Amino acid sequence: MVNETDRTMQTEELIAELQDFRSEVITKYPKKVAKKREKSIVLSDADNPPQIQANVRTIPGIITQRGCTYAGCKGVVLGPTRDIVNITHGPIGCGFYSWLTRRNQTKPENDTQENFITYCFSTDMQDSNIVFGGEEKLKQAIREAYELFHPKAIAVFSTCPVGLIGDDVHRVSRQMKEEIGNGINIFGFSCEGYRGVSQSAGHHIANNGLFKNLIGRDDEVRGSLKYRVNLLGEYNIGGDAFELERVFEKCSIHLISTFSGNSTVQGFENAHTADLNMVMCHRSINYVAEMMETAFGIPWIKVQPIGANSTAKMLRKIAQYFGEQELIDRVEEVIAEEMKEVEAVRQKIHAKTKGKKAMLFVGGSRAHHYQDLFEELGMVTVAAGYEFGHRDDYEGRRVIPTIQIDADSRNIEEITVSKDETRYQPRKSEDEMKKLEAEGMEFNEYHGLMEQMEKGALVIDDLSHYEMEKLIERYKPDVFCAGIKEKFVVQKMGIPLKQLHNYDSGGPYAGFKGAINFYKDIEQMVCAAIWQEIKAPWESEAYVEAQFAY
Ligand code: CFM
């Protein structure tokens, strides 16, 4: 048994060790870079969370995991909706993100429903458009898309050159909406790649656009009047949304819309008829939750249906919010039924995965959410960080008022939202809200990644490629979670890499069935002996090492 003194020793040693790592990495950088990077590398301490530098520009020359603002707006938030024709206004190279590269799936309810997800729409700007302007070409593209597909909505996404030459996608959208008529909705996004420090800016721009152009356009209350919810920040990667839809349906919870996994225009337009907003990926969609609360009076809570226990927790929160015994009982029945299968699989695998180490460096929420699944497997997350999270995603929303607004954040439009005069309607009375809060329900709250991590674990924002290699050399994790840019470099080091953006070819990983899939996939990776056999060429051959001269 470990006594208290030993445990303290261990913690101190661990912290010293990690501090040692931090200085080892930082001293390799030129002085200015070191000074900047050190603020983004901290040791987790839930009792006294350190301030972390996040959402600042990446230092040129550092190999970052980040993407661009256009990718965040078009690729991430609007991309998964199946019945909007999304046109990328830009050179053809940017069209990559116009296509289905993220494994965001969709399922039309019948053969007559539209599905444009498999298409890639681009204006294919040429030199002449850059010199003389591309607005006419954009108009032509909109006309062509309408003639071919007759969609309900067309969205236009600006790439870098559009902002540089001054094409006005908003004016063109308005003009074309008028020209085409027939109730079509056409709107543009100023989401040029350079507009923010990462894809995070694109999320914000997309949220503003969703609110201005789609949410609240259809007041018809469809389906059950009871337990009406929206799921925000779920993107149906690898079929996650399908599993969550299954679980909600089984509990008789009525999902009005998902932003934006397996979504439709109608879902967005009708979302304001729900009675509760659940925020899954805080980073990418908290703005919509806030705006819908201000305008329509819909409260929001943070949920986390990654991990079987976390899914159960989410369902219990929903039942608690609506407060009806019928729902509370149904939710408990579903949890009991689903957990039987989950536990049977988990217990078998847990014995093999227990104590193994994971590292997670992904996006703006998964580096946190997936820690629950690893916990269920008895695995420890020894280091984690986001690519483009903000301080609140690490330290919790309580720090939001203290976050300094810099020039890059000012570059993103802030829209002023006020109460909708006719449709604002608080879903719960003040007393009901107070009662729920007293029972432990937290509204408008997210505690961030650091609260969950063990004291002394490394937390690194916008991890560089060099830092990643050093982390692996030193701590030899059993699995490294990141994306395609890291995958093969890490695997050549003899460590399996699980892609947590697109799940490799796996998934769903959300909900109950998703947890089972994840347990099995991780077991295969961390229990395979083959990884130890892998030797990178530089381990057996001589190689030249250079040093920076600065
Ligand atoms: Fe949210 Fe996402 Fe993520 Fe994200 Fe993304 Fe993604 Fe991601 Mo890749 S919206 S922040 S911009 S959960 S595409 S579905 S996996 S980086 S952690």
Side-chain angles (χ1 to χ4, degrees):
M1 243 184 74
V2 183
N3 66 33
E4 266 316 304
T5 338
D6 284 346
R7 195 174 291 145
T8 327
M9 272 295 291
Q10 282 176 359
T11 315
E12 275 169 15
E13 275 166 24
L14 198 68
I15 293 175
E17 159 78 9
L18 292 172
Q19 264 163 351
D20 191 38
F21 166 79
R22 188 177 183 228
S23 38
E24 180 200 324
V25 168
I26 289 168
T27 47
K28 266 278 181 184
Y29 290 133
K31 258 198 200 130
K32 261 194 182 167
V33 176
K35 214 172 149 204
K36 200 169 169 205
R37 276 309 294 155
E38 95 184 312
K39 295 184 196 146
S40 291
I41 306 175
V42 301
L43 298 170
S44 181
D45 182 353
D47 306 327
N48 190 13
Q51 181 172 328
I52 187 165
Q53 173 181 262
N55 192 33
V56 294
R57 285 181 176 233
T58 300
I59 301 158
I62 277 193
I63 305 178
T64 175
Q65 299 179 302
R66 285 176 169 176
C68 70
T69 301
Y70 156 70
C73 182
K74 160 63 193 80
V76 173
V77 179
L78 269 302
T81 309
R82 64 171 166 265
D83 51 1
I84 300 180
V85 165
N86 287 322
I87 301 179
T88 293
H89 186 32
I92 197 65
C94 301
F96 181 78
Y97 277 109
S98 285
W99 195 50
L100 223 180
T101 52
R102 183 157 157 262
R103 296 196 72 230
N104 43 265
Q105 303 182 0
T106 200
K107 195 168 25 185
E109 280 154 29
N110 54 53
D111 289 347
T112 59
Q113 274 192 356
E114 304 135 306
N115 178 12
F116 305 123
I117 276 195
T118 50
Y119 291 93
C120 175
F121 302 95
S122 165
T123 52
D124 185 20
M125 282 176 110
Q126 303 290 322
D127 295 5
S128 61
N129 308 123
I130 303 291
V131 177
F132 301 109
E135 291 188 3
E136 278 312 312
K137 197 163 193 199
L138 175 60
K139 284 183 187 168
Q140 198 45 44
I142 295 174
R143 280 186 202 111
E144 203 179 311
Y146 183 73
E147 276 162 25
L148 284 172
F149 298 103
H150 293 95
K152 296 179 193 74
I154 296 178
V156 179
F157 298 87
S158 307
T159 58
C160 295
V162 171
L164 298 176
I165 65 173
D167 274 4
D168 187 340
V169 298
H170 307 286
R171 188 181 57 215
V172 170
S173 299
R174 276 195 306 273
Q175 286 172 350
M176 292 311 294
K177 192 173 168 178
E178 213 167 283
E179 181 187 306
I180 294 173
N182 291 336
I184 191 171
N185 191 1
I186 306 179
F187 43 92
F189 291 90
S190 291
C191 55
E192 294 86 352
Y194 59 76
R195 197 169 272 274
V197 302
S198 69
Q199 49 270 65
S200 168
H203 301 149
H204 197 162
I205 293 164
N207 278 226
N208 290 346
L210 282 169
F211 192 79
K212 285 194 297 191
N213 301 303
L214 288 160
I215 296 169
R217 286 166 54 100
D218 171 11
D219 287 332
E220 191 182 331
V221 179
R222 296 184 183 82
S224 166
L225 295 178
K226 277 181 153 185
Y227 320 137
R228 297 171 65 86
V229 301
N230 295 319
L231 182 59
L232 312 184
E234 199 302 312
Y235 299 96
N236 202 17
I237 311 298
D240 278 351
F242 300 147
E243 162 65 0
L244 295 174
E245 286 167 9
R246 179 190 74 84
V247 172
F248 288 137
E249 204 182 313
K250 200 167 167 184
C251 295
S252 36
I253 293 165
H254 191 48
L255 189 62
I256 307 298
S257 74
T258 301
F259 286 65
S260 55
N262 196 27
S263 60
T264 57
V265 169
Q266 190 187 72
F268 293 151
E269 291 184 338
N270 203 232
H272 65 298
T273 65
D275 293 320
L276 175 66
N277 274 335
M278 299 183 290
V279 172
M280 183 168 164
C281 168
H282 173 264
R283 182 63 274 133
S284 63
I285 206 93
N286 72 87
Y287 320 94
V288 158
E290 293 276 306
M291 290 188 278
M292 282 178 77
E293 176 155 32
T294 310
F296 303 109
I298 309 172
W300 71 266
I301 54 169
K302 174 78 179 69
V303 297
Q304 207 297 77
I306 301 292
N309 292 326
S310 324
T311 306
K313 204 168 148 193
M314 171 187 73
L315 295 174
R316 290 191 175 115
K317 268 193 195 177
I318 302 170
Q320 186 190 359
Y321 173 81
F322 287 105
E324 289 189 19
Q325 201 55 44
E326 162 202 53
L327 182 64
I328 296 171
D329 293 345
R330 181 68 195 135
V331 157
E332 288 307 327
E333 267 168 46
V334 172
I335 294 173
E337 198 184 311
E338 298 281 333
M339 284 306 267
K340 234 188 256 160
E341 197 190 338
V342 170
E343 273 306 292
V345 179
R346 192 188 69 85
Q347 277 171 16
K348 262 195 222 152
I349 294 175
H350 186 269
K352 299 184 222 166
T353 48
K354 194 175 155 225
K356 298 215 184 267
K357 292 179 282 182
M359 289 185 179
L360 295 87
F361 289 92
V362 213
S365 74
R366 293 184 176 195
H368 180 195
H369 290 169
Y370 278 75
Q371 293 191 25
D372 284 11
L373 275 168
F374 283 116
E375 262 177 46
E376 289 174 6
L377 289 172
M379 292 176 63
V380 195
T381 304
V382 289
Y386 299 124
E387 281 169 49
F388 50 76
H390 296 199
R391 275 185 60 207
D392 36 319
D393 302 300
Y394 289 102
E395 300 169 55
R397 282 180 67 91
R398 63 184 176 80
V399 302
I400 291 179
T402 67
I403 297 178
Q404 271 184 336
I405 310 285
D406 59 13
D408 286 306
S409 311
R410 262 188 222 112
N411 220 0
I412 306 164
E413 180 195 18
E414 271 295 340
I415 55 175
T416 320
V417 177
S418 48
K419 267 187 194 176
D420 187 287
E421 278 180 18
T422 51
R423 297 177 296 175
Y424 179 87
Q425 180 215 333
R427 295 334 200 239
K428 297 266 173 196
S429 69
E430 267 182 42
D431 284 350
E432 283 170 329
M433 290 292 275
K434 277 198 191 123
K435 191 169 163 272
L436 283 166
E437 278 166 350
E439 286 168 6
M441 187 110 181
E442 290 184 302
F443 293 98
N444 308 38
E445 185 54 287
Y446 174 44
H447 291 282
L449 163 149
M450 287 209 262
E451 193 181 80
Q452 182 159 359
M453 293 193 69
E454 284 199 12
K455 195 170 179 169
L458 262 176
V459 179
I460 307 179
D461 181 66
D462 190 17
L463 182 81
S464 78
H465 219 98
Y466 172 70
E467 289 155 6
M468 178 183 81
E469 285 182 17
K470 289 290 143 191
L471 265 177
I472 292 174
E473 273 170 22
R474 191 154 178 158
Y475 299 107
K476 302 251 173 321
D478 297 286
V479 63
F480 196 94
C481 301
I484 192 65
K485 290 176 236 171
E486 296 77 34
K487 184 163 178 95
F488 300 103
V489 178
V490 172
Q491 294 197 159
K492 280 177 190 165
M493 296 174 89
I495 308 290
L497 186 141
K498 180 68 200 163
Q499 290 194 70
L500 278 192
H501 299 267
N502 68 359
Y503 304 160
D504 295 300
S505 51
Y509 291 146
F512 298 110
K513 298 252 184 280
I516 294 175
N517 290 337
F518 192 78
Y519 302 157
K520 289 180 177 167
D521 288 354
I522 292 299
E523 177 199 15
Q524 272 195 357
M525 294 185 114
V526 302
C527 299
I530 191 70
W531 298 103
Q532 277 103 56
E533 304 303 320
I534 295 178
K535 289 272 172 288
W538 55 87
E539 289 180 90
S540 53
E541 290 161 24
Y543 65 97
V544 181
E545 194 175 20
Q547 272 196 326
F548 290 113
Y550 53 85

